[in-house]
């Protein structure tokens, strides 16, 4: 999960070093194109992070979810940009009052891209195989499923214990439906049921989808979508200025004026679940094991500075962002107050503290710069160690060998990491673990959200980490393009309704 | 001559062998591995271990090296850990971008440097010569990335003549578009490398002007320029050939940077991505091919030099 998270992160922060001139960051609605949509149009979309291979069963990474889920592969249920759960391959679904039985009605007339028909046996096989295959991503998310059965078009999932996260998990990788026993080479090819078909992949350059003319639902609005992988923000801006791309994701909001000056693009800021997490290694023996030291660090950081520097997003003071259930504004827990920070450090006997920040190198230097200067203000010397992502995974994630670490966690509803003492956050609270278990076992959504809210407040009050900002999805969208999703696009990019007019 | 060629060939093979061992060992210093990247962070340590096992990452280094080098000797550069595709096939595909880019850069560098280097030597001490010389010094010191960005700003963004980035999806099936995509990147590398080469041409020319045979020819009634062109320039050409090997290495390094900047799907960009993904078999193959290429160019340059320079032949 972190992997997805961290990689997708590149998008948002990659080149914000340019300027600290903040243009206002209010959300803008996606522009409405005026011309007549051209059904034969090809739309070029700039993305930041290219996947290493296309095997969505086994290879982790947000780069895969971003383009493949919804567009190529589908599950029984899906989610809207507003994070609502809606039917997809199931035309209908219901959950029993005790939360133990999930019943889905499978659509008829759905075909895979190879032409074969989707059968209930494919659904049963996909869910069972995922659950049994440890090397498939997210297989543990189906842990509470006891059996999957098909009776005609009715699919029944029976659970051993209620699981309030199950439906949500089924909208993601855990719920993807594949053809039973398919022999396709998932590394480079696909066989899904979605509105687009993979046409070609030029590694290191672009991936092209074409419309699935046999799609069971409403056909896609464009004939072709080309994902252009351009990691560098300046190169992406140049490509836009030269009119080579129609949409840019992972854009730098500081470049708003430059791109809007062309008259061909509008900047769109959508909400996202991106959380800029400053992790504290609080295992025994570390100066950060002392809650006062962690609290002092939180209060020495001017969170608004990050939002200003990114020219997008909003402040965040706890583990749950506003799009997820259980969100509460926790600003009161760690207000910016260097004086209090100094007092806390003195109380903890931690004056002249020297710490190292380990940060993957694809993030902008703005973040470490602000941290170094804020912490220096209260007497903490921060050394920045910029490492490539593989090294980060090895040192920080696996070996937990770090003081402070920054990673942008993009995944929605990922509170579970705070209830996992083995996770690299090194946060261990029996109370939080218990509250989270109760939230999962809850049969009522509102009750689950209330429990998460309580747990999140404890995590924040314990200063388990600091949350530097809640990012936004920053896009530059061509004025002739409509139907471009703008919420949480680092994680999911459903392009079924995308259109482009010739005008 | 044959003895010289054989000795030189032995050196070449030895160089390749040492390079392969160095490439293999230095990559092993990198922390982290592709199994972690594939497994992601939802996987347990046991799962990561299983992925490592299935990829052969847990075998001893000598075994891994021998297996790799054995494959190379049989003409098999191995397969990518990430995509399972053949490294050789990937390199061949990316070479469609990198080789034309390199050739165009080299052509630009030579076209710029030879005449300008000679002119700046002939005009030494005069304003024009000094201006050329200073420009060369400055350009040679310019980072390739900066030069590329300036060219993009002028030709792609302001004038809109050439694409700012990318390579046509049709590749060389659309030759005009493919060429257009390579113009700015090749110009970037060509100008910077050309500036370095020009300084070399200039000093070689100045040296030639001072030689007895040029002065003798001038004394026989030729103008200084004609004497230089007829008798001095062949020697300048020889000197230039001998630095071409270095130029090729410079162009390859430039290509790694420039492909990144212009989003060109070439070997350089692939290399950077593969190092990040810890796809070590692929990185090894790519580095070995690039190193081999530079060493072979050096070998060919030495042989050519020897064939066309009578003094070297007599000396042996």
């Amino acid at each position: 999960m972190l992997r997805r998270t961290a990689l997708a992160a590149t998008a948002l922060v990659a080149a914000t070093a340019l300027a600290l001139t903040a243009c206002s960051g209010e959300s803008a609605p996606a522009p409405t194109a005026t011309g007549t949509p051209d059904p034969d149009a090809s739309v070029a979309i700039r993305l930041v992070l290219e996947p290493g291979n296309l095997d969505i069963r086994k290879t982790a990474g947000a780069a895969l979810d971003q383009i493949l889920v919804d567009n190529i592969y589908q599950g029984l249920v899906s989610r809207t940009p507003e994070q609502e759960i809606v039917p997809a391959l199931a035309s209908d679904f219901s959950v029993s009052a005790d939360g133990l039985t999930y019943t889905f009605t499978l659509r008829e007339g759905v075909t895979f891209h190879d032409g074969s028909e989707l059968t209930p046996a494919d659904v049963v096989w996909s869910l069972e195989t995922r659950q049994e295959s440890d090397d498939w991503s997210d297989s543990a998310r189906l842990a509470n499923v006891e059996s999957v059965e098909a009776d005609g078009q009715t699919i029944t999932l029976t659970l051993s214990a209620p699981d309030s996260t199950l439906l949500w998990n089924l909208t993601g990788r855990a719920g993807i439906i594949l053809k039973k026993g398919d022999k396709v080479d998932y590394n480079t090819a696909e066989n899904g049921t979605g509105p687009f078909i993979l046409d070609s992949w030029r590694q290191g350059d672009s991936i092209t989808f074409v419309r699935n003319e046999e799609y069971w639902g409403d056909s896609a609005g464009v004939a072709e979508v080309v994902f252009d992988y351009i990691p560098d923000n300046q190169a992406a801006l140049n490509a836009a200025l030269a009119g080579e791309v129609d949409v840019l994701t992972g854009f730098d909001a500081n470049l708003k004026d430059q791109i809007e000056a062309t008259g061909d693009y509008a900047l769109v800021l959508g909400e996202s679940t991106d959380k800029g997490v400053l992790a504290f290694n609080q295992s025994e023996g570390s100066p950060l094991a002392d809650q006062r030291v962690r609290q002092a660090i939180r209060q020495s950081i001017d969170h608004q500075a990050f939002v200003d520097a990114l020219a997008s997003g909003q402040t965040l003071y706890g583990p749950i962002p506003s799009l997820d259930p259980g969100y509460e504004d926790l600003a009161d827990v760690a207000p910016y107050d260097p004086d209090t920070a100094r007092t806390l450090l003195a109380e903890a006997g931690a004056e002249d503290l020297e710490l190292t920040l380990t940060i993957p190198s694809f993030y902008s230097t703005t973040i470490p710069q602000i941290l170094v200067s804020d912490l220096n203000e209260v007497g903490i010397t921060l050394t920045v160690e910029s490492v490539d992502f593989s090294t980060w995974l090895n040192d920080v994630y696996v070996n937990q060998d770090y003081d402070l670490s920054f990673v942008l966690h993009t995944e929605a509803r990922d509170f579970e990491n705070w209830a996992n003492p083995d996770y690299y956050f090194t946060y261990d609270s029996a109370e939080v673990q218990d509250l989270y278990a109760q939230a999962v076992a809850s049969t009522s959504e509102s009750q689950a959200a209330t429990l998460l809210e309580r747990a999140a407040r404890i995590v924040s009050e314990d200063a388990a980490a600091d949350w530097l900002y809640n990012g936004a999805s920053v896009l530059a969208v061509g004025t002739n393009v409509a139907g471009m999703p703008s919420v949480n696009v680092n994680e999911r990019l459903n392009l079924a309704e995308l259109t482009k007019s010739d005008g | 001559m044959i003895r010289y060629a054989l000795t030189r060939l032995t050196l070449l093979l030895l160089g390749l062998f040492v390079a392969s061992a160095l490439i293999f060992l230095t990559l092993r210093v990198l922390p982290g591995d592709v199994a972690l990247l594939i497994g992601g962070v939802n996987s347990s340590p046991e799962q990561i271990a299983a992925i490592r096992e299935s990829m052969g990452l847990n075998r001893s280094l000598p075994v891994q090296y021998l297996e790799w080098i054995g494959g190379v000797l049989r003409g098999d550069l191995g397969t990518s850990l990430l995509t399972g595709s053949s490294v050789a096939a990937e390199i061949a595909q990316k070479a469609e971008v990198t080789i034309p880019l390199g050739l165009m850069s080299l052509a630009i560098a030579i076209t710029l440097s030879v005449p300008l280097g000679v002119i700046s030597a002939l005009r030494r001490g005069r304003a024009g010569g000094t201006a050329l010389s200073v420009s060369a010094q400055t350009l040679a010191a310019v980072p390739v990335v900066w030069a590329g960005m300036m060219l993009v700003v002028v030709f792609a963004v302001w004038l809109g003549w050439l694409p700012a980035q990318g390579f046509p999806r049709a590749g060389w099936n659309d030759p005009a578009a493919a060429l257009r995509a390579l113009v700015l990147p090749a110009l970037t590398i060509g100008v910077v490398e050309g500036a370095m080469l020009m300084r070399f041409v200039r000093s070689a020319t100045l040296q030639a002007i001072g030689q007895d045979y040029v002065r003798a020819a001038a004394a026989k009634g030729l103008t200084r320029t004609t004497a230089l062109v007829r008798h001095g320039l062949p020697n300048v050409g020889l000197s230039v050939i001998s630095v071409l090997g270095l130029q090729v290495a410079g162009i390859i390094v430039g290509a790694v940077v420039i492909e990144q900047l212009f989003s060109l799907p070439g070997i350089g960009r692939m290399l950077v991505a593969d190092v990040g993904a810890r796809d070590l078999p692929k990185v090894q193959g790519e580095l070995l091919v690039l190193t081999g290429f530079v060493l072979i160019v050096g070998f060919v340059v030495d042989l050519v030099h020897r064939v066309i320079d009578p003094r070297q032949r007599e000396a042996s």
Side-chain angles (χ1 to χ4, degrees), chain A residues 295-314:
Chain A
Q295 181 71 23
I297 293 177
R298 291 194 70 188
Q299 294 203 247
S300 67
I301 295 171
D302 176 8
H303 293 75
Q304 187 59 39
F306 294 97
V307 177
D308 292 345
L310 294 167
S312 62
Q314 55 193 34

Side-chain angles (χ1 to χ4, degrees), chain A residues 208-272:
Chain A
T208 304
F209 288 176
V210 293
R211 175 166 46 216
N212 174 11
E213 302 291 353
E214 309 300 322
Y215 185 56
W216 56 266
D218 293 335
S219 282
V222 291
E224 183 185 70
V225 176
V226 181
F227 302 105
D228 273 321
Y229 290 96
I230 311 175
D232 181 71
N233 251 322
Q234 190 60 45
L237 177 65
N238 290 339
L241 297 180
E244 291 160 15
V245 286
D246 300 297
V247 176
L248 296 99
T249 69
F251 198 62
D252 180 352
N254 287 303
L255 302 175
K256 179 188 198 309
D257 292 345
Q258 288 188 50
I259 195 138
E260 289 192 339
T262 60
D264 296 329
Y265 297 87
L267 196 79
V268 180
L269 295 178
E271 278 188 276
S272 92

Side-chain angles (χ1 to χ4, degrees), chain A residues 1-4 7 42 44 50-53 58-61 133-141 185 187-188 200-206 208 224 226 228-232 234-236 238-239 241-242 244-245 388-395 397-398 411 416-417 423, chain B residues 30-34 36-44 47-48 50-52 80-85 90 93-94 96-97 148-149 152-153 156-157 160 162-172 260-266 269-270 273-279 282:
Chain A
M1 201 167 326
L2 166 80
R3 164 98 175 106
R4 292 184 182 186
L7 284 188
S42 169
E50 186 181 9
N53 67 52
K58 297 179 178 175
T59 306
S133 309
D134 285 342
D135 59 338
W136 284 27
S137 311
D138 288 1
S139 59
R141 293 184 175 249
D185 177 5
N187 277 327
T188 51
S200 65
W201 179 18
R202 290 176 54 86
Q203 281 177 35
D205 183 49
S206 63
T208 304
E224 183 185 70
V226 181
D228 273 321
Y229 290 96
I230 311 175
D232 181 71
Q234 190 60 45
N238 290 339
L241 297 180
E244 291 160 15
V245 286
D388 76 356
F389 189 62
S390 281
T391 308
W392 185 92
L393 271 175
N394 191 61
D395 293 356
Y397 178 69
V398 175
E411 198 170 73
E416 61 187 341
N417 296 328
Y423 203 65
Chain B
L30 293 175
D33 63 35
V34 66
L36 261 177
L37 284 168
I38 288 180
V41 291
N42 281 333
S43 45
S44 61
Q47 283 173 266
I48 300 286
I51 298 176
R52 273 197 193 118
S80 158
L81 289 177
L82 213 47
T83 62
S85 55
E90 285 276 323
Q93 200 219 324
K94 305 295 183 211
E96 286 182 19
V97 173
M149 278 169 62
V152 165
V153 166
V157 178
L162 292 162
Q165 59 87 40
F167 196 68
R169 259 172 289 141
W172 288 100
Q260 205 71 17
L261 182 69
F262 284 91
S263 299
L264 291 176
R269 189 155 164 229
M270 174 168 68
D274 291 338
V275 172
R278 295 292 186 273
D279 196 341
K282 223 172 142 203

Side-chain angles (χ1 to χ4, degrees), chain A residues 31 34 111 116 127 130 149 162 237 264 279 296 302 304 310 316 321 343 357 401 412 445 480 489-490 502:
Chain A
T34 41
T111 53
S116 58
L127 297 178
R130 178 159 304 263
E149 278 155 15
L237 177 65
D264 296 329
D302 176 8
Q304 187 59 39
L310 294 167
L316 179 70
T343 312
L357 169 74
D401 176 15
E445 270 181 42
N480 57 347
V489 295
N490 278 347
D502 16 4

